[in-house]
């Protein structure tokens, strides 16, 4: 069974063909980074307009690379929540048009479920090891930061999330404050490797609290204050990046390991764009090894926004008998059960 997946929830227009075993036949991602970079973040109106221009060529290319036509496809999966509503609408309408024209089943996918299942994608000829249920997953991206317990594709429960900024958002805002451009994650990651984290003082976000919730707005404000009162010199910037990154990764690793312990699971998955972070990967691996926890981090192409993960999550939904119809619409919130209320502020 081959599924065509479409993704347009934020600033990537993507289409992919994946089968129900997770094998990726094609995976096309058109990034809008250049359109948003001058603004230091994603501009919703620009995102929606860019998706409109890109969606048809991206879908055509995904089918071409998979050596398939629409009639060879068994179903269409599309991200319909959560995300920027105008951006989501483009993918959803395109998917509905394709489903109607080719008379194929359509299934809406929660973007967060896509990220959480991205670990099951098979991109190489050789089979890569995948986790078995249950596992704990840390989802870290530009829009989301949360820990989940996954007992099955339809049994995903939030254990704790950020109360304010997502970690990728904090990276992007700190990079903007330091004049490092957008997106901030990769550049901070690179500069941090050349800096000394002990040469800059930053607060530890909720590090001592036993809860599995996160907060990253404090550290972002601390960097803002520092930049305002004592602007860092070019030589200071790598140290500040290193201190910021060490603080953030310490919290992420500590809470992920605490979640695995609390849930008595021995497998941990890290997914989302920030899972590309080298320090996070290295420290999570070291912490896992120490505690007998097996770590699964998908390759970069599966971590950042893509449609292959959406196609695969769609295949799993279809396998459970789920179908949507042409009334499918976009929504800004996830439907995964949540325990963290956003904007609760510091306790
Ligand atoms: O998952 P993703 O591609 O899009 C969303 O769904 O948000 O994640 C993008 C985020 C951006 O905030 C970017 O700065 C961050 O991931 N990111 C990184 C790294 N590479 C990308 N953050 C830290 N270190 C990296 N190496
Ligand atoms: Zn994402």
């Amino acid at each position: 069974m081959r599924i065509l997946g479409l993704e347009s929830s934020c600033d990537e227009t993507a289409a992919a063909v994946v089968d129900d075993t997770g094998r990726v036949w094609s995976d096309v991602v058109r990034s809008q980074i250049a359109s948003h970079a001058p603004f230091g973040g994603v501009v919703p109106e620009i995102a929606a307009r860019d998706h409109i221009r890109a969606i048809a060529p991206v879908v055509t290319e995904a089918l071409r690379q998979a050596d398939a036509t629409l009639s060879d496809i068994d179903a269409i999966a599309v991200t319909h929540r959560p995300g920027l509503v105008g951006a989501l609408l483009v993918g959803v309408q395109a998917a509905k048009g394709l489903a109607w024209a080719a008379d194929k089943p359509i299934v809406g996918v929660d973007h967060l479920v896509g990220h959480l299942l991205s670990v099951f994608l098979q991109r190489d000829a050789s089979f890569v090891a995948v986790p078995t249920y249950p596992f704990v997953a840390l989802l870290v991206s530009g829009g989301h930061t949360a820990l989940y317990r996954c007992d099955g594709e339809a049994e995903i429960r939030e254990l704790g999330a950020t109360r304010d900024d997502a970690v990728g958002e904090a990276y992007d805002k700190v990079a903007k404050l330091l004049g490092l451009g957008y997106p901030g994650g990769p550049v901070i990651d690179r500069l941090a490797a050349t800096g000394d984290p002990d040469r800059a003082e930053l607060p530890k976000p909720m590090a001592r609290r036993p809860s599995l919730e996160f907060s990253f707005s404090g550290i972002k404000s601390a960097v803002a204050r520092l930049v305002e009162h004592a602007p860092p010199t070019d030589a200071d910037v790598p140290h500040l990046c290193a201190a910021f990154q060490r603080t953030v990764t310490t919290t992420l690793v500590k809470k992920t390991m605490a979640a695995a312990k609390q849930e008595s699971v021995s497998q941990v998955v890290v997914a989302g764009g920030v899972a590309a972070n080298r320090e996070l990967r290295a420290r999570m691996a070291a912490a896992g090894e120490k505690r007998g926890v097996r770590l699964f981090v998908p390759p970069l192409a599966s971590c950042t926004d893509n449609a292959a993960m959406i196609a695969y999550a769609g295949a799993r939904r279809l396998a459970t008998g789920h179908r949507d119809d042409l009334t499918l619409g976009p929504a800004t919130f996830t439907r995964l059960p949540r325990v963290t209320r956003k904007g609760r502020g510091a306790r």
Side-chain angles (χ1 to χ4, degrees):
M1 182 161 169
R2 292 211 276 180
I3 289 96
L4 170 68
L6 269 66
E7 153 65 40
S8 70
S9 64
C10 191
D11 61 343
E12 262 96 24
T13 318
V17 176
V18 172
D19 68 25
D20 52 357
T21 69
R23 168 84 35 223
V24 179
W25 293 78
S26 68
D27 181 21
V28 178
V29 181
R30 185 191 169 281
S31 168
Q32 302 179 353
I33 283 179
S35 305
H36 301 288
F39 305 95
V42 177
V43 183
E45 182 65 23
I46 292 177
R49 286 170 192 269
D50 263 20
H51 286 307
I52 291 172
R53 280 189 285 271
I55 194 82
V58 164
V59 167
T60 305
E61 184 58 17
L63 288 170
R64 193 191 66 76
Q65 286 184 16
D67 207 8
T69 63
L70 202 50
S71 53
D72 302 325
I73 297 296
D74 297 290
I76 294 166
V78 61
T79 306
H80 78 122
R81 66 193 319 153
L84 303 168
V85 76
L88 285 166
L89 190 61
V90 179
V92 170
Q93 292 303 105
K96 289 200 290 189
L98 291 168
W100 179 78
D103 195 20
K104 304 285 178 186
I106 183 169
V107 64
V109 170
D110 189 307
H111 183 81
L112 306 188
V113 177
H115 273 303
L116 293 173
L117 300 188
S118 65
V119 70
F120 293 105
L121 292 173
Q122 295 294 334
R123 294 179 176 273
D124 307 319
S126 55
F127 184 80
V128 291
V130 296
T132 51
Y133 294 108
F135 58 81
V136 157
L138 172 70
L139 172 54
V140 272
S141 73
H144 307 279
T145 296
L147 279 161
Y148 297 92
R149 179 188 169 101
C150 303
D151 286 292
E153 297 95 7
E155 287 172 84
I156 300 174
R157 187 163 52 85
E158 185 193 289
L159 301 170
T162 181
R163 294 176 176 181
D164 39 60
D165 292 351
V167 64
E169 196 179 353
Y171 264 96
D172 294 338
K173 285 179 182 167
V174 165
K176 194 173 178 178
L177 286 166
L178 297 176
L180 300 175
Y182 174 84
V187 53
I188 291 183
D189 191 2
R190 198 164 35 109
L191 287 173
T194 66
D196 177 355
D198 294 323
R199 288 177 63 177
E201 257 310 299
L202 287 174
K204 310 264 176 294
M206 296 178 74
R208 285 187 303 275
R209 295 190 185 275
S211 102
L212 297 178
E213 295 182 349
F214 301 94
S215 169
F216 296 105
S217 65
I219 188 167
K220 175 196 66 188
S221 307
V223 174
R225 275 196 301 276
L226 206 111
V227 169
E228 195 183 334
H229 299 300
T233 62
D234 286 353
D236 292 334
V237 169
H239 304 317
L240 199 52
C241 289
F244 168 77
Q245 181 155 293
R246 180 196 272 182
T247 305
V248 167
T249 54
T250 299
T251 308
L252 294 172
V253 170
K254 203 169 159 178
K255 300 218 170 190
T256 305
M257 291 300 147
K261 189 170 175 206
Q262 174 191 299
E263 299 298 315
S264 308
V265 303
S266 57
Q267 298 170 98
V268 159
V269 169
V270 183
V274 183
N277 190 270
R278 288 171 296 172
E279 191 170 335
L280 178 62
R281 284 174 177 247
R283 296 185 63 191
M284 197 71 87
E289 201 158 309
K290 211 167 112 190
R291 292 168 179 79
V293 166
R294 187 162 177 204
L295 179 67
F296 296 85
V297 189
L300 200 56
S302 295
C303 284
T304 51
D305 281 353
N306 65 88
M309 66 186 192
I310 302 304
Y312 180 70
R316 301 309 311 158
R317 289 204 89 192
L318 288 160
T320 62
H322 186 90
R323 298 277 183 289
D324 284 300
D325 59 28
L326 298 183
T327 62
L328 184 71
T332 51
F333 290 103
T334 178
R335 215 177 252 159
L336 289 180
R338 288 156 74 185
V339 295
T340 306
R341 194 157 57 85
K342 267 204 160 190
R344 224 148 131 220
R347 269 194 218 160

